[in-house]
Structure formats: structure tokens, C-alpha cells
Amino acid sequence: IDSTNSYLKSLALDGAPSGSVCLAEGQRSGRGRLGRVWVSPFGCNLYLSLLWRFDAGPAALAGLSLVAGVALVRALSGFLPQGLGLKWPNDVQWQGRKLAGVLIEMAGESAGPSHAVIGVGVNVRMPGESAAEITQPWTDLTRCLGESPSRNALAAGVLENLVVALRHFETDGLPPFLEAWREHDAVAGKSVQLHLPNGVIEGQARGIDDSGALVMQVGDELRRFASGEISLRMSS
Ligand code: BTN
């Protein structure tokens, strides 16, 4: 397939029901956040997208990105009980290296209804020739565990945790997920750079506020950001 997210997005426009899932063995045009490529070799990793329909408009779904990150950590902790962390908003890391990522694409009327395609990529067993294409520190479950887990079991765990989390989010919003997200915050207290479309801001990561925004200390000021990409500064 080109991308499980792209495929499910087009099915969504044709009326596919909430809860529809697309899994692929490989992606020719796997997509990451911020227009990046998601390296997707055949038969090695998990590439999965889930369609979820909401009565509310996209603005009410601001916390969804963090909720998906918590669900993914819960699923992965069934395989790796220790060492998992979240890099805002929803990169899953193991000992500081990226293990899994989430790409959420939303559409809908501002007053609702809306829908989200939640795409999850988990590195399970990344072959060397594909690894050369990855531009950030990464790991895979095989390296973390010393053996390859069942991708079927992993897919089931990811879907179960996502569906439970989405139902909870629909009724209660982001608040029930804040504690779990903060427990796994991998960058709080560290010196970071926040990459924005119009430049880079340097400061100390100070966790997330109750809306899920990133809080950063920039000089004497505490600032909040709803979007952007964090990287650790070399000095931290
Ligand atoms: C990121 O961390 O940049 C997000 C990566 C998301 C990758 C998944 S793989 C399944 C789905 N289809 C895509 O094209 N992307 C997502």
C-alpha cells in the first residue's frame, strides 16, 4: 500500500464506519509527522491506522494526540515493562531512542461531526538497509527484547488500547490521561529546542499543562506551545 493513513482517509470520505482499521505489511509512501518519510520496509514492522468518528468538531480533539501516545505506551508496556518514555506530543521512546510514532490526521466541520485517522508505526525488526534511511536515533522491539515479538499480538494490543482510550476520551476528555502521560514524560527538566515553522526556540522542558500543551521555560518566562517538534540540546 502507499500509506495506511492515506488509504483509510479515502475510505473515511466514502463513509467507512468508525473503528475501521487498515494494517499493511509494507508502505511505499509511509508518512511521519511534519511531512517526514516513515521508513516502512515489507514484512518487518507494524503499520496500522484506525478511523474514529466523533460528534464534536476538530477543535474538541486537541488532546487526542496525547491520548494516542498514552494508549501506545500501554500497549508496548505489555512487551517492554521498563524504559518506555514519551516525547511530546506522542513519540514513544525506549531509553531515549524512537521506537514508535503516531500520525493523526483530522477532518470535519468546525461544529462537528469530525473524524480522525490515527496512524501508528512501531519498529519491530528494522533491517540494516532500511535503518540507514532513518534520520533520528531509533530502536526496534527486537533490539530491546533480544527477540522478535509476534506482530499479530502487537497489533491486537495496540488496537485494544487505542479503542479503550478513545472511548474514554470521548466521554471524559484528556484529564484522565494527564497523569499517565506525565509519568512517561521523557524530556521534562531537560534543555530542549522547539522547532516551529518560523524558527527554533531554546529552553527547558517543563512538562505539559492540563490542555496537553508543551510548557517551556524560555529565559524567565513560562511559555506554552500547542505544536512544534522537540529535540534535546547537546548540553542536556
Ligand atoms: C511520526 O512519528 O512521525 C509518525 C509516524 C507514523 C507512521 C505510521 S505507519 C502507519 C501510518 N501510515 C502512515 O503513512 N503513517 C502512519
Side-chain angles (χ1 to χ4, degrees), residues 5-236:
N5 262 39
S6 303
Y7 181 76
L8 209 48
K9 266 166 66 178
S10 72
L11 251 57
L13 296 177
D14 289 342
S18 192
S20 298
V21 174
C22 176
L23 286 137
E25 283 286 4
Q27 301 184 116
R28 286 184 299 273
S29 310
R31 294 185 288 111
R33 291 180 63 238
L34 306 172
R36 282 191 294 247
V37 167
W38 187 254
V39 176
S40 307
F42 188 88
C44 301
N45 299 314
L46 186 72
Y47 317 114
L48 170 162
S49 299
L50 169 67
L51 168 65
W52 206 259
R53 295 188 181 278
F54 297 89
D55 293 334
L61 309 184
L64 180 58
S65 186
L66 282 81
V67 169
V70 169
L72 191 49
V73 164
R74 286 179 177 155
L76 289 169
S77 63
F79 296 81
L80 272 178
Q82 304 292 330
L84 290 169
L86 280 164
K87 184 174 80 109
W88 186 86
N90 53 22
D91 274 4
V92 179
Q93 302 185 330
W94 190 73
Q95 298 186 348
R97 295 178 158 268
K98 184 153 171 174
L99 176 63
V102 183
L103 173 67
I104 300 184
E105 298 184 280
M106 295 189 207
E109 302 296 323
S110 54
S114 58
H115 65 262
V117 171
I118 302 159
V120 174
V122 181
N123 296 334
V124 177
R125 184 178 52 81
M126 189 67 80
E129 63 274 18
S130 303
E133 295 170 43
I134 306 178
T135 55
Q136 53 188 325
W138 63 275
T139 189
D140 62 24
L141 279 173
T142 305
R143 285 174 169 78
C144 303
L145 291 167
E147 59 182 356
S148 293
S150 151
R151 286 184 301 147
N152 284 339
L154 179 63
V158 169
L159 284 171
E160 184 173 357
N161 278 280
L162 274 176
V163 167
V164 167
L166 286 164
R167 290 194 175 129
H168 198 179
F169 176 66
E170 275 176 327
T171 54
D172 297 336
L174 181 61
F177 296 90
L178 288 169
E179 191 181 332
W181 201 97
R182 287 173 176 140
E183 267 172 25
H184 288 95
D185 189 340
V187 295
K190 296 193 173 158
S191 296
V192 294
Q193 291 183 323
L194 183 70
H195 301 258
L196 296 167
N198 53 354
V200 176
I201 295 176
E202 300 200 338
Q204 304 274 320
R206 292 278 181 257
I208 53 168
D209 71 10
D210 287 355
S211 74
L214 173 74
V215 181
M216 255 174 83
Q217 177 145 9
V218 183
D220 291 338
E221 207 186 339
L222 272 188
R223 294 181 59 184
R224 280 145 220 276
F225 298 91
S227 64
E229 175 79 359
I230 304 180
S231 63
L232 288 186
R233 278 164 63 192
M234 298 307 279
S235 55
S236 62

